[in-house]
Amino acid sequence: MTAVEPLSVRPPQTAAEILARAQALAPVLRDRAEEIERARRLPADVVDLLRGTGVFRMGFSRAHGGPELTSIEQTEVIEALAYGDAGAGWCAMIGSDTGLYASFLDHAVAEEMFPSLDMATAGLLFPNGHAEIVPGGYRLTGRWQFGSGVTHADWVVSGAFLYRDGEPEHDSILLMVPKADVEVLDTWHTTGLAGSGSCDYAITDVFVPAAHTLTFAEVRGGSGPLAQPEVHMRNMPGVALGVTRAALDHATDTAVAAGREDDYRTQTTIADCEGDFAAAREGVYGALRRQHEVLSAGGTLDDLTPRERAALPLSRRHAFRTARSIVSRLYDLVQTSAIYRPSPLDRWLRDTTTMCQHIVAQDRILQTAGAHLLGGRPAFPLALGITSSRR
């Protein structure tokens, strides 16, 4: 049914191989999309299929035995999977952060925590939890939202404020906990992205060794373009771009099948949407290419010009907003046939609406980029790779 080889047979080793497996899996995900949405999480066998593509291992460095895909290559893989199903693409994007987090852990610790490179991570990075400082580590308690992929994750990473003897330290940290110590709360009843299983989750008085914590301000086990504070946000636009490409192909095929090749409204709408998609996609990949040029030459994010640095979060936001705009216009173009479930346009309309509620698609990103361009104070500095754990 799928060209993806079982992971136990031959794990993929290169970017080209991982991308080819993702592209081969996309039609299978499309066929399973209704089922995934109804389940409000990825079925176990779909998770296994994702593992088989190598998507969860693609962020691991060569020092860890991984394929070390560039952020550009990672985004292409996520785009290919989201072309099949948005929920699967979203979970793949989140789960692939495992290897990226490894750079912020001691090398030996990461090897112990991730004996397989195909382990998935989930969790919310915002400091919603309470981490009490104790000998050797922390006692973690809290409840977090938006645990995309938490239903199948191996590790859960969560942000928490630090406390000592019950008093706040006015600082925060990220703590990694095995999935077995996490309670998943079935809260994910949403407009779209239902298949991502982004449930709330709770952790209650779990001891977390200090070695299993990290901050993006400290790289402990890596170097190079992927060992950077905002690395986990770079491949996010792949979801929006993949869904948009799928919608455009569907609307085009539908128009041709209906004999509307010479209809003026159809022609102009498809062309207008294709133009917006091409511009949004090039904005994402252009910003990623320039960043990679600087970082792979040994530079840092500070070596980017203010415009180049702002282009990264702005291109992400633009990709998400453009996805929603294009899908909405195609929905109107197809008219009444789009309203009947399981029309993929109905699902994509809801998926893109939901993904645009993520912080990377919000006006806070505009303020952050605008403040950086003007020399002001960004509201969300991590989007620019500026690390700060202060309140």
Side-chain angles (χ1 to χ4, degrees):
M1 188 173 183
T2 172
V4 178
E5 297 183 44
L7 198 59
S8 59
V9 174
R10 188 175 61 86
Q13 302 297 328
T14 67
E17 189 173 8
I18 294 173
L19 179 59
R21 292 190 182 200
Q23 290 169 335
L25 183 58
V28 178
L29 296 175
R30 183 73 59 81
D31 289 343
R32 302 284 298 274
E34 289 180 65
E35 175 193 352
I36 291 170
E37 184 172 51
R38 285 196 305 268
R40 294 182 297 109
R41 63 188 62 192
L42 298 187
D45 68 314
V46 172
V47 176
D48 288 341
L49 290 173
L50 285 177
R51 289 189 202 275
T53 67
V55 66
F56 296 147
R57 67 169 46 213
M58 65 182 181
F60 276 100
S61 69
R62 293 185 181 88
H64 282 285
E68 196 173 329
L69 270 63
T70 68
S71 296
I72 298 165
E73 293 165 338
Q74 292 178 36
T75 305
E76 291 172 337
V77 172
I78 300 303
E79 191 176 1
L81 292 169
Y83 185 87
D85 178 68
W90 193 272
C91 286
M93 176 266 294
I94 296 292
S96 69
D97 286 343
T98 308
L100 305 179
Y101 293 139
S103 294
F104 299 90
L105 300 165
D106 289 337
H107 185 88
V109 171
E111 289 198 326
E112 179 185 357
M113 293 174 65
F114 312 125
S116 165
L117 300 185
D118 299 291
M119 300 175 75
T121 303
L124 183 72
L125 304 186
F126 289 105
N128 288 3
H130 178 123
E132 184 73 25
I133 300 171
V134 297
Y138 308 86
R139 305 294 309 188
L140 177 62
T141 297
R143 175 169 173 162
W144 294 261
Q145 291 182 293
F146 310 117
S148 302
V150 72
T151 55
H152 62 256
D154 300 291
W155 286 88
V156 177
V157 58
S158 307
F161 283 115
L162 297 179
Y163 290 79
R164 189 185 300 274
D165 298 325
E167 296 297 321
E169 290 279 293
H170 304 295
D171 210 347
S172 65
I173 199 168
L174 299 173
L175 305 96
M176 301 196 75
V177 171
K179 166 67 182 309
D181 293 329
V182 176
E183 178 188 5
V184 177
L185 307 171
D186 189 11
T187 57
W188 193 241
H189 300 270
T190 57
T191 302
L193 280 182
S196 67
S198 304
C199 298
D200 289 16
Y201 64 93
I203 298 172
T204 304
D205 195 31
V206 170
F207 175 72
V208 183
H212 291 186
T213 69
L214 63 132
T215 71
F216 291 122
E218 182 182 5
V219 177
R220 294 190 231 163
S223 61
L226 297 185
Q228 305 290 331
E230 41 60 80
V231 65
H232 59 288
M233 292 186 282
R234 294 180 197 164
N235 62 26
M236 292 186 73
V239 181
L241 294 174
V243 171
T244 309
R245 182 70 266 165
L248 275 163
D249 289 351
H250 172 78
T252 300
D253 291 344
T254 299
V256 171
R260 296 204 305 271
E261 301 97 323
D262 294 323
D263 176 69
Y264 178 84
R265 177 173 178 247
T266 301
Q267 292 171 337
T268 55
T269 300
I270 293 292
D272 193 37
C273 289
E274 283 284 358
D276 286 351
F277 174 75
R281 191 173 189 274
E282 178 54 32
V284 167
Y285 285 103
L288 288 173
R289 283 194 297 270
R290 177 56 186 152
Q291 182 192 56
H292 185 72
E293 287 174 3
V294 170
L295 297 179
S296 62
T300 69
L301 293 174
D302 290 335
D303 293 315
L304 294 167
T305 68
R307 286 182 180 176
E308 290 170 340
R309 200 161 182 178
L312 292 158
L314 289 177
S315 66
R316 281 192 290 268
R317 180 185 182 276
H318 185 63
F320 278 85
R321 293 297 185 98
T322 301
R324 181 172 63 180
S325 172
I326 289 175
V327 171
S328 179
R329 281 179 276 165
L330 296 176
Y331 187 90
D332 287 344
L333 177 67
V334 174
Q335 298 179 356
T336 54
S337 64
I339 70 174
Y340 293 99
R341 298 186 184 185
S343 164
L345 276 171
D346 167 77
R347 184 170 58 253
W348 291 324
L349 183 68
R350 290 181 285 106
D351 288 342
T352 54
T353 296
T354 298
M355 68 178 69
C356 277
Q357 307 317 306
H358 194 283
I359 189 172
V360 300
Q362 293 297 304
D363 288 347
R364 189 174 176 184
I365 297 301
L366 291 180
Q367 187 280 329
T368 292
H372 183 68
L373 291 168
L374 294 168
R377 183 176 181 179
F380 186 38
L382 187 57
L384 293 160
I386 302 169
T387 56
S388 173
S389 58
R390 308 299 291 184
R391 284 185 192 259

